[in-house]
Amino acid sequence: MKPMLAALALTVATALPAFAFDPANMSDAEKEAFGTAIREYLMANPEVLVESINVLEARRVAQEVENDALLVVNNRDAIFEDGHSWVGGNPDGDITMVEFVDYKCGYCKKVNPEVEALIKSDGNIRFILKEFPILGQESDIAARFAVSVQQIAGPEAYKKAHDALMTLNGPVNLESLTKLAQEQGLDSQAVINRMNTEDVSAVLRKNHQLAESMAIMGTPTFIIGPEMLRGVPASGLANAVEAARKSQAEQG
């Protein structure tokens, strides 16, 4: 008997005291009668099924949150102190927010203004960006360009390149990236030449390995303090940050 049916069967059995509920010793006729009783009960009380589904969903979500929190604990150093990801916002902030980003991800582009506004208005968030290209070749070369810029020209140049890539329309290719580098005042040839080096590949490989270990399969994915958000919450990132601060304080 499936878990949902078993739960409903127990509900029905409790509601029908005259019915002898002993599944292991039921005859075929008793099982048929019991099945009929369940159906009649559900037809008369359909809200029971809805309530049961809601309870199961709440339990599933709670279990996922617990599992994700454990993943954050187990991968803490790689998440917050990997030594290669760009770190901005307030370096001494009371909470760290990490974003796994792909420059061809429409949701990443859409939420980017909210992210930037939150970092600025809050003033107490340490912000980390992790290049996580998963949407094809253009995603990969855009991420390689960003990492190359960081390695050649430093964190400030990286952030400017990141912002430009977030608003870049049209194809992402060597021509468009060369133009972007020139507009940023960078040595475009040096940046392009470095994109396929092992130094750049190693960064992307480590990010993908971390994502795999944390079962991250989409962007944007946020880690805020002790909590992971697989996407953007309907209540907004600001509320998520405050909830994470509270959770972090409770954990000490």
Side-chain angles (χ1 to χ4, degrees):
M1 188 175 291
K2 295 180 179 180
M4 177 69 76
L5 184 56
L8 292 172
L10 181 59
T11 301
V12 174
T14 303
L16 303 173
F19 202 100
F21 182 66
D22 188 1
N25 297 314
M26 279 184 177
S27 66
D28 289 342
E30 288 173 332
K31 290 178 181 177
E32 182 178 356
F34 188 64
T36 299
I38 291 177
R39 184 178 186 281
E40 290 177 351
Y41 181 82
L42 290 177
M43 293 299 289
N45 303 276
E47 67 277 5
V48 172
L49 184 58
V50 176
E51 291 172 2
S52 298
I53 292 173
N54 289 340
V55 168
L56 286 178
E57 177 62 14
R59 290 177 180 173
R60 182 191 67 79
V61 170
Q63 187 61 55
E64 285 186 354
V65 170
E66 183 177 339
N67 291 343
D68 284 348
L70 184 59
L71 288 173
V72 172
V73 171
N74 291 341
N75 294 278
R76 179 172 296 279
D77 288 344
I79 295 169
F80 300 114
E81 304 291 347
D82 64 17
H84 63 253
S85 292
W86 177 86
V87 180
N90 182 348
D92 300 317
D94 66 348
I95 197 162
T96 299
M97 181 167 77
V98 180
E99 180 183 4
F100 285 76
V101 63
D102 184 319
Y103 295 113
K104 294 300 290 184
C105 167
Y107 291 106
C108 295
K109 290 177 178 288
K110 183 178 180 179
V111 76
N112 189 59
E114 180 181 349
V115 171
E116 294 294 329
L118 174 60
I119 299 301
K120 183 177 180 179
S121 63
D122 185 286
N124 207 21
I125 298 173
R126 178 173 177 257
F127 183 40
I128 298 175
L129 285 166
K130 290 189 183 292
E131 302 291 339
F132 185 46
I134 56 175
L135 297 176
Q137 184 178 11
E138 290 192 10
S139 295
D140 183 68
I141 64 173
R144 287 180 176 277
F145 176 83
V147 175
S148 178
V149 169
Q150 182 180 16
Q151 292 181 352
I152 287 177
E156 290 186 9
Y158 166 86
K159 185 55 167 60
K160 291 180 181 179
H162 167 82
D163 293 343
L165 287 168
M166 273 296 179
T167 58
L168 181 64
N169 294 317
V172 178
N173 51 39
L174 293 182
E175 181 180 356
S176 62
L177 293 176
T178 298
K179 180 180 178 181
L180 193 157
Q182 292 171 345
E183 292 173 346
Q184 299 285 325
L186 301 169
D187 183 339
S188 60
Q189 194 59 53
V191 171
I192 297 300
N193 289 344
R194 192 179 182 87
M195 284 170 55
N196 286 320
T197 64
E198 173 57 22
D199 285 342
V200 171
S201 296
V203 169
L204 299 183
R205 185 167 58 249
K206 289 176 183 178
N207 288 352
H208 277 276
Q209 289 171 346
L210 173 60
E212 183 177 357
S213 70
M214 299 187 69
I216 295 174
M217 295 177 285
T219 55
T221 293
F222 294 93
I223 299 170
I224 307 175
E227 301 180 1
M228 179 157 56
L229 303 177
R230 299 179 184 274
V232 182
S235 60
L237 286 173
N239 288 333
V241 167
E242 289 310 309
R245 277 195 173 107
K246 181 179 180 181
S247 178
Q248 182 173 269
E250 290 173 349
Q251 293 179 23

